[in-house]
Every structure is written in structure tokens, then in C-alpha cells.
Amino acid sequence: MSAADFVPPGADLEGLRRAAGGCKGCHLYEDATQTVFSKGPATARVVLVGEQPGDVEDRRGEPFVGPAGKLLDRAIEEAGLDPKDTYTTNAVKHFKFTPAAGGKRRIHATPDAREVAECRPWLVAEFGLLDPEIVVALGATAAKALFGPAFRVTKSRGMLLPWPASAYEPAQFDREDEAARAGAYALATLHPSAVLRSDDREPAFQGLVADLRVAAGALG
Ligand code: URA
Ligand code: SF4
């Protein structure tokens, strides 16, 4: 099973969003409230990819609207990026969690490599419609989904990398589109949740902002 069976060929972003609402490409849809797809315009010059929706996102149906999202919004602002020019999505579109013993609380569980691979057709379909100048991976799960399992955020964070656009080219794109994408960049940084968990929050936040400033500097 994978999301590939649910991605409608030739769909626009709205069509993808609608279809993703009914995805059963892996088991994660069973316990989550709803699919959380993406936010932002297809024309965005900056694309940010997170891990998976959290508890708040699962209830609201929108990515990055909980505590990590609020922190990310502040970092985007401080880095001088235009929030209206960003598109935000996740490597995995359903919330994976374990119930806390006895209570109603749901504890975030990291999606494994198989779940990320099963959800990846949505990410590939999104990039088929997007035309970013820079793609930002937030944390290890997103970075591995975008750049492969050997990628280490700890080694490469904050470095401008070439965006491997060809890995995301759907067959229907012609050579002109490929050429237009060739100049794009990619960058990995830590996940905003890692800043929230950090013992030393302010320097961790400033590190995230510094990485996003590198991304802002790459915009033409
Ligand atoms: N963390 C993520 O990676 N994505 C969200 O949408 C929210 C929190
Ligand atoms: Fe489909 Fe992804 Fe949800 Fe799994 S996590 S059911 S592949 S949208």
C-alpha cells in the first residue's frame, strides 16, 4: 500500500488536497482525526516541509497551527521571509501518536521510514505543481524524505544545497519547466519542536532564525 493509489493524475493543488482527505495509503489514517495537507499558495517562492501534523493540527486540519507552528511563524518573520510567500507542508499527512497512559492526551510518535515512504507520493505530487526558489526541510524526518535516508541534519544544517528537482519531476513536465527549476536551492534546519524541547531555548531559536536567514538570502 502507498499514497500512490490515491493521487489523482493531473490534479491541481485543490484536487490533491481533496483526494488526500480520503487517503488510506498507510495505517495512520485509522487513528487520526483527518488528513492535514498544506497551506500557502502554489506560487510560493519558499517551501517549508515539516514532519507530520501535531495534536492541534490534527484537530484543526491545518499544518503548523500549534505551538511549533507559532514558533515557526516568529522565526520566519525574524528571518525576513514573507509569510505570504511560503507554502508549508509535511512529509507525513496524518498525526501519528500514542495515547498517554490513562488520559486523553495523545503523545507525538515519530513516523518511521516506511510511513514516510508510503506518504511520499503526496509530497512528489505537490512538488510537481510548486516552483520554489528554496525548499527548507524542518528536522530529520523531512530532510530524509527530501534528500534520502543518509542525510544528516546535524552535519548539514544551514548549508545551501542544490534542490534535487529531477527527483520530483512528474512525467508530464516538459524540458522548459525542468530548466526553470534547475536553479532552486534546498536547506535543512532543525525542527521548531526541537527548539521548544531545548533546555536553552533562545540560542536554539536564534539558530533556526540564522538558518532561515540563509534561505532568505538565497531568494533572487
Ligand atoms: N510539526 C510538524 O512537523 N508539522 C506540523 O504541521 C506541526 C508540527
Ligand atoms: Fe495516506 Fe499519508 Fe495519511 Fe498514510 S499518512 S494514510 S499515506 S495521507
Side-chain angles (χ1 to χ4, degrees):
M1 247 342 221
S2 95
D5 301 327
F6 297 88
V7 177
D12 62 7
L13 221 40
E14 252 335 286
L16 290 183
R17 185 189 311 280
R18 219 173 308 121
C23 184
K24 298 179 175 179
C26 77
H27 68 107
L28 291 179
Y29 78 91
E30 290 168 8
D31 295 329
T33 309
Q34 58 189 318
T35 307
V36 177
F37 199 66
S38 67
K39 65 180 178 189
T43 53
R45 293 197 297 162
V46 182
V47 171
L48 299 125
V49 181
E51 181 193 77
Q52 63 165 356
D55 181 85
V56 179
E57 289 80 11
D58 172 77
R59 298 173 202 275
R60 297 251 312 260
E62 246 193 278
F64 284 107
V65 289
K70 294 215 166 71
L71 187 136
L72 179 61
D73 288 347
R74 277 207 291 128
I76 284 172
E77 196 90 21
E78 258 195 58
L81 288 165
D82 177 1
K84 291 193 295 299
D85 204 13
T86 64
Y87 175 94
T88 312
T89 191
N90 283 302
V92 169
K93 267 57 172 174
H94 275 106
F95 178 37
K96 182 180 179 183
F97 61 92
T98 47
K104 280 188 293 186
R105 274 185 63 223
R106 305 182 298 172
I107 311 292
H108 163 277
T110 304
D112 61 33
R114 180 176 171 164
E115 290 150 354
V116 172
E118 285 168 333
C119 206
R120 199 164 176 280
W122 291 118
L123 205 53
V124 173
E126 288 169 273
F127 278 112
L129 299 168
L130 300 168
D131 192 11
E133 287 180 33
I134 181 138
V135 179
V136 179
L138 300 166
T141 302
K144 284 174 195 293
L146 293 172
F147 311 123
F151 192 88
R152 296 284 174 271
V153 175
T154 43
K155 264 176 71 180
S156 306
R157 69 171 284 191
M159 286 168 48
L160 267 191
L161 310 164
W163 169 239
S166 59
Y168 297 89
E169 287 302 336
Q172 73 260 31
F173 277 92
D174 60 22
R175 301 185 68 90
E176 210 176 302
D177 281 303
E178 284 178 36
R181 276 150 216 260
Y185 292 101
L187 176 138
T189 184
L190 78 181
H191 194 284
S193 297
V195 176
L196 290 175
R197 282 195 307 269
S198 169
D199 295 331
D200 228 347
R201 232 190 241 195
E202 190 51 30
F205 178 73
Q206 287 308 328
L208 174 62
V209 171
D211 290 348
L212 293 178
R213 279 206 186 104
V214 174
L219 293 175

